[in-house]
Amino acid sequence: MEIRGAGRIARAAVEALRAHARELRARDPGEFRKGMEEAASLLLATRPTAVSLPNAVHLVMKPLEGATDLEEARGAVIRAADRFLASSRGAVKRIGEIGAHHIAGGETILTHCNSEAALSCILTAAGQGKDFEVFATEVRPGNQGLLTLRALSDAGIPTHYIVDSAVRHFMNRIDRVFVGADAVAVNGAVVNKIGTSQVALAAHEARTPFIVAAETYKFAPRTTLGELVEIEERAGDEVLPPARAARFPGVTIHNPVFDVTPAAYIDLIVTEEGAIPPSLAYIIIREFLGWSIEEFHKTFQIAHRDQG
Ligand code: RUB
């Protein structure tokens, strides 16, 4: 939780792999590959929900397949990491430019959690001189809303701060909702910070457009094979401190930190390749992630073999 947000998580993992590739001592490409795979598994185990993490690790590790020369393999991994980092930053910028078209002066926007992709849309629109207000939620229990407040306040955008449960109360004042994504499934469902699906439900009821900002590497290839995106469940003491929880014996505290918003409640997903309806998620997986169906199968088999 030191690094938050699916894009930053992916970039941090890629930076770690690049640093490891630079320093790893190995006698041959096989040993190098083994050392890199150990690092990759460690990184993959840090957060289970953000699909950007396995997608980014996959892209960086791909050049190791069939590598026959040690220094060539090292260089290829470093170059793949550099490419990912540059394209990730470029994607967030491009999403901001595309998403800003959907914000008009005089509007009121609502955002939930702290998404650099969603904020990129909001900040780009503000940078274009559009005058609008933003409602930002608190985001229990992690308080990521405070990070969003910092960004909005620094940009001088008039901002309202509300508790998560006040979303429906204010929804009729909201013209558009912008959120980010940790994962987008092949059926267009979006996995994002817990509470996002309630925000989407309230937006749907009020006929308020609900827009997701997500780089193409947030789309989950393995969902094409029926694999579900794992929802991270964190310790209950983030919800209720242990001393207070001890006063309620027999009570179980649940702390899922992400939830799933069905495609039916999503109007648009803004990617760096353009804005799409959620029903086109499969196209993004096929065309822009560059994973062949054979690769899906291979990774699927490895993941299941590793689970025993
Ligand atoms: C962060 C979160 C963000 C998405 C998208 O959760 O749910 O909305 O990751 O963010 P956490 P971004 O704080 O638990 O990581 O657009 O920055 O990738």
Side-chain angles (χ1 to χ4, degrees):
M1 291 301 281
E2 290 291 315
I3 299 163
R4 290 169 161 184
R8 287 191 183 91
I9 289 171
R11 289 200 296 276
V14 167
E15 279 167 6
L17 282 176
R18 183 175 62 179
H20 194 57
R22 282 188 179 132
E23 288 160 16
L24 185 61
R25 284 164 196 249
R27 278 174 299 228
D28 53 60
E31 204 174 287
F32 180 73
R33 183 177 172 161
K34 196 165 167 286
M36 289 303 298
E37 278 175 354
E38 275 166 19
S41 323
L42 193 73
L43 290 164
L44 288 171
T46 53
R47 303 282 307 262
T49 304
V51 169
S52 51
L53 179 59
N55 279 347
V57 167
H58 174 80
L59 285 171
V60 173
M61 298 290 286
K62 204 170 151 57
L64 287 178
E65 280 166 26
T68 50
D69 178 89
L70 175 59
E71 291 314 316
E72 214 172 89
R74 195 191 300 277
V77 166
I78 293 169
R79 281 194 301 280
D82 287 341
R83 270 199 307 276
F84 177 81
L85 294 170
S87 71
S88 166
R89 292 189 188 102
V92 173
K93 187 169 178 290
R94 183 79 189 118
I95 285 172
E97 289 160 2
I98 298 172
H101 288 301
H102 292 275
I103 299 176
E107 286 194 342
T108 302
I109 307 295
L110 183 139
T111 189
H112 179 62
C113 198
N114 179 250
S115 156
E116 63 171 355
L119 275 173
S120 180
C121 304
I122 293 169
L123 297 177
T124 306
Q128 292 167 347
K130 292 177 188 167
D131 232 354
F132 55 89
E133 297 189 350
V134 177
F135 274 69
T137 49
E138 180 185 23
V139 193
R140 280 272 295 152
N143 293 320
Q144 284 92 334
L146 294 175
L147 301 170
T148 300
L149 286 194
R150 170 54 51 222
L152 296 169
S153 163
D154 285 352
I157 298 173
T159 301
H160 306 263
Y161 185 50
I162 59 171
V163 296
D164 304 332
S165 43
V167 164
R168 187 169 183 273
H169 177 78
F170 287 108
M171 191 50 85
N172 286 330
R173 282 176 62 177
I174 307 297
D175 296 295
R176 231 166 286 277
V177 176
F178 274 84
V179 295
D182 279 80
V184 183
V186 67
N187 63 358
V190 165
V191 182
N192 192 48
K193 180 55 57 193
I194 193 78
T196 302
S197 65
Q198 284 180 186
V199 175
L201 206 56
H204 185 73
E205 185 208 32
R207 309 280 187 272
T208 303
F210 185 90
I211 300 176
V212 176
E215 304 91 301
T216 51
Y217 52 76
K218 308 263 179 77
F219 286 65
R222 288 194 216 153
T223 56
T224 59
L225 297 172
E227 203 174 281
L228 299 176
V229 175
E230 185 183 334
I231 301 293
E232 181 178 357
E233 177 92 33
R234 297 180 62 84
D237 59 14
E238 289 181 354
V239 178
L240 205 59
R244 287 182 71 190
R247 286 162 39 197
F248 307 100
V251 172
T252 308
I253 301 165
H254 298 274
N255 187 17
V257 293
F258 299 100
D259 66 17
V260 183
T261 300
Y265 299 152
I266 299 165
D267 291 278
L268 213 57
I269 303 179
V270 180
T271 79
E272 71 276 21
E273 298 294 341
I276 58 156
S279 54
L280 290 189
Y282 178 71
I283 303 291
I284 297 288
I285 293 173
R286 280 309 303 234
E287 302 295 322
F288 298 106
L289 283 177
W291 283 40
S292 71
I293 205 78
E294 290 71 30
E295 266 181 286
F296 297 162
H297 279 290
K298 208 166 74 189
T299 327
F300 195 58
Q301 278 157 7
I302 290 168
H304 281 259
R305 190 195 60 206
D306 290 350
Q307 283 162 21

